[in-house]
Amino acid sequence: MAVRYVQSCRLPTPFGVFDMHGFEEPDTGKEHIALTLGSLEGDEPVLARTHSECLTGDALYSMRCDCGYQLEEALRSIAREGRGILMYLRQEGRGIGLLNKIRAYHLQDQGADTVEANEQLGFAADLRDYTMCKDMLDHLGIGRLKLMTNNPRKVNALRGLGIDVVERVALHVGRNPHNENYLATKQSKLGHWLETHQDDEA
């Protein structure tokens, strides 16, 4: 078991009143949450997003990335849909942690791109793990997803865990002059889809 369920509560937000479910990794004590809205029962695919923690973008309004914009748009989309789930995973900086992320940002200030900065610090370009998503979805009784992402690796990772991702929903928000190079690097080096469309293929 990657994570164990701890407790749930109501979470009023500007986008709607969600249910917040807490999970913990038994081996590390690392905590993750899922926000759900509406009835998730039945075979109808559930609008979903897996969102890795980005303190700078999610809480401090950083314009160096598109993370905070994607988080807000995902919650808005779930609210419009009337049902859905957002899994918020505590793996800052594509898994390298907050202080190393600051070090990586410093290297980017010197001219490195986001992938080069991670590699100069001795890390892979992306260390994120999505194993916990399977346990979270199983606990909440969710079987099929319409996944909001621009990242093909995320789609393939979830499918590799046996999660039925039936559709990929594009999530293109937050482009600005401060993150143009960041987005271009995600497209050229990490294979992200940056065109505006929806599809049902990885």
Side-chain angles (χ1 to χ4, degrees):
M1 175 181 291
V3 292
R4 64 177 183 88
Y5 169 72
V6 178
Q7 189 55 269
S8 300
C9 67
R10 291 174 65 256
L11 185 71
T13 77
F15 315 105
V17 179
F18 290 78
D19 290 317
M20 182 166 63
H21 313 275
F23 298 85
E24 182 181 47
E25 296 182 17
D27 295 337
T28 65
K30 188 177 290 186
E31 300 163 342
H32 309 281
I33 62 170
L35 299 180
T36 61
L37 182 71
S39 173
L40 305 177
E41 298 176 354
D43 193 48
E44 186 71 20
V46 173
L47 187 63
R49 174 160 175 82
T50 65
H51 187 93
S52 294
E53 179 180 43
C54 176
L55 179 69
T56 50
D58 298 342
L60 301 178
Y61 308 102
S62 171
M63 298 174 70
R64 298 184 70 135
C65 63
D66 55 350
C67 302
Y69 303 101
Q70 289 186 325
L71 176 62
E72 290 192 15
E73 183 58 28
L75 292 173
R76 286 193 188 96
S77 296
I78 290 170
R80 286 194 297 264
E81 184 94 349
R83 65 194 294 263
I85 179 171
L86 185 140
M87 292 168 279
Y88 195 88
L89 312 178
R90 307 293 299 281
Q91 40 191 6
E92 180 79 44
R94 295 203 193 103
I96 67 174
L98 180 59
L99 296 184
N100 280 322
K101 179 180 179 178
I102 295 173
R103 293 184 178 101
Y105 275 172
H106 174 74
L107 291 172
Q108 290 173 43
D109 289 341
Q110 311 308 309
D113 65 36
T114 180
V115 170
E116 292 166 347
N118 275 25
E119 291 173 343
Q120 287 178 33
L121 291 172
F123 299 108
D126 193 340
L127 293 174
R128 287 175 294 182
D129 175 24
Y130 300 101
T131 308
M132 68 287 290
C133 296
K134 176 67 170 154
D135 289 339
M136 297 166 83
L137 293 168
D138 286 348
H139 175 80
L140 295 166
I142 299 172
R144 309 174 72 216
L145 303 182
K146 296 185 296 184
L147 186 67
M148 291 182 280
T149 186
N150 304 325
N151 185 352
R153 297 184 185 192
K154 188 180 293 185
V155 174
N156 294 332
L158 295 187
R159 286 178 173 165
L161 293 168
I163 298 168
D164 189 4
V165 180
V166 302
E167 181 182 346
R168 196 274 297 190
V169 180
L171 193 60
H172 299 297
V173 289
R175 183 182 290 274
N176 67 76
H178 301 283
N179 65 19
E180 284 286 350
N181 290 338
Y182 166 83
L183 293 175
T185 299
K186 288 208 296 186
Q187 182 177 32
S188 64
K189 293 191 174 182
L190 299 175
H192 285 216
W193 297 296
L194 294 188
E195 74 284 4
T196 304
H197 77 277
Q198 294 189 180
D199 64 31
D200 59 2
E201 297 294 336

